[in-house]
Amino acid sequence: MKSPLASAAALALGILPLSLPAAAQTTIESAGLTVTATPAIASDYLFRGISQTRNRPAASLTLDVQHETGLYAGAFASNVTFPGSNARQELDLLAGYRFGLGPVNLDLGGVFYTYPGYDKPDGSYEYNYFEAVAKASYTLDAVKFVGALAYSPDFYFEAGSAIYLEGGADVSLPLDVTLAGRYGYQWIDKNPRYGAPDYANWSVALSREVVAGFALTVGYYDTNLSKAECFAGTKLCDARAMVTLSRAF
């Protein structure tokens, strides 16, 4: 969760979305652009293992526009529900550069997390924040190894500098099924203001295209935060199963 009260692509999602079957894309050849729009519905919206919708369903849209040079821009939008807050939408704006370095694919960029319509109470702290993100992947036969590093100079709720490190792998299985596993760790400078200590999160999920381009992902997600450590005793950090249905256009 991004706050002591409460962000595929994010991106549903830590900074490394679990792999899905190959995405549909629209190519604008005259401009050298590739555009992908991915709406999704899910039983929850998790950010680094913590619910952003109070354990309730979420609907999201991810937009990615990439130039043939590797430069890209995009956005992610989802509903959110934070206890004690009138924030109801999240809109993340992202941009960066994707390129290959030998056998390694790299993605260097940034994300600005915003909450349109949120009214910050007097004496409270800011929700919006920025992260610089570096991601890398390397494919060896049926296994794609992935890793990411994110740094924020002033994390959610003005909680000071924060670093998130994540790694994992996607394994192609028979019947066009992808098995994905992730393990991440979040460090935060001002833990009391954020509302939780530094913590680990992990997930295991299966994904497959089911019909007409629709992809189904079923996974298990958890953190090492106890209820007492989870934002004033909430259940937002509990282990859970999650189901996501998406379709790329």
Side-chain angles (χ1 to χ4, degrees):
M1 183 171 70
K2 297 194 186 75
S3 87
L5 301 175
S7 108
L11 311 174
L13 324 168
I15 54 178
L16 284 177
L18 297 177
S19 287
L20 295 172
Q25 297 174 331
T26 300
T27 301
I28 306 175
E29 294 185 0
S30 60
L33 297 176
T34 300
V35 181
T36 306
T38 309
I41 54 174
S43 58
D44 204 336
Y45 167 23
L46 299 182
F47 183 81
R48 298 173 187 171
I50 300 175
S51 177
Q52 306 296 289
T53 52
R54 297 177 65 182
N55 310 314
R56 299 168 183 171
S60 66
L61 175 65
T62 303
L63 177 65
D64 184 277
V65 181
Q66 180 169 320
H67 189 259
E68 58 190 9
T69 60
L71 294 172
Y72 70 89
F76 168 81
S78 175
N79 60 295
V80 295
T81 305
F82 301 155
S85 168
N86 70 346
R88 293 296 179 264
Q89 298 86 33
E90 175 182 333
L91 175 63
D92 304 339
L93 306 176
L94 55 149
Y97 178 50
R98 299 178 180 127
F99 61 100
L101 189 61
V104 179
N105 292 318
L106 297 172
D107 181 341
L108 305 179
V111 184
F112 183 56
Y113 302 85
T114 71
Y115 299 84
Y118 166 65
D119 295 323
K120 184 173 74 69
D122 293 339
S124 184
Y125 299 104
E126 184 59 64
Y127 278 18
N128 299 350
Y129 72 98
F130 170 80
E131 279 189 329
V133 182
K135 296 186 279 188
S137 66
Y138 172 75
T139 301
L140 180 63
D141 297 327
V143 181
K144 181 169 75 171
F145 299 96
V146 294
L149 174 67
Y151 169 74
S152 175
D154 196 10
F155 199 50
Y156 188 96
F157 232 56
E158 300 178 38
S161 61
I163 296 174
Y164 182 72
L165 182 64
E166 184 175 278
D170 301 333
V171 183
S172 297
L173 302 176
L175 304 177
D176 296 323
V177 174
T178 299
L179 171 65
R182 298 288 187 272
Y183 182 89
Y185 200 90
Q186 178 76 68
W187 290 271
I188 303 163
D189 182 28
K190 301 176 182 178
N191 296 104
R193 181 173 295 182
Y194 178 69
D198 300 344
Y199 72 95
N201 70 99
W202 53 89
S203 61
V204 178
L206 292 171
S207 301
R208 189 185 191 279
E209 183 176 326
V210 286
V211 63
F214 285 90
L216 181 68
T217 300
V218 180
Y220 171 84
Y221 303 79
D222 200 1
T223 75
N224 67 341
L225 291 171
S226 67
K227 183 177 179 180
E229 294 172 320
C230 181
F231 309 99
T234 68
K235 297 181 179 180
L236 303 177
C237 313
D238 288 357
R240 73 199 63 218
M242 184 170 137
V243 179
T244 302
L245 182 67
S246 62
R247 173 67 160 88
F249 295 91

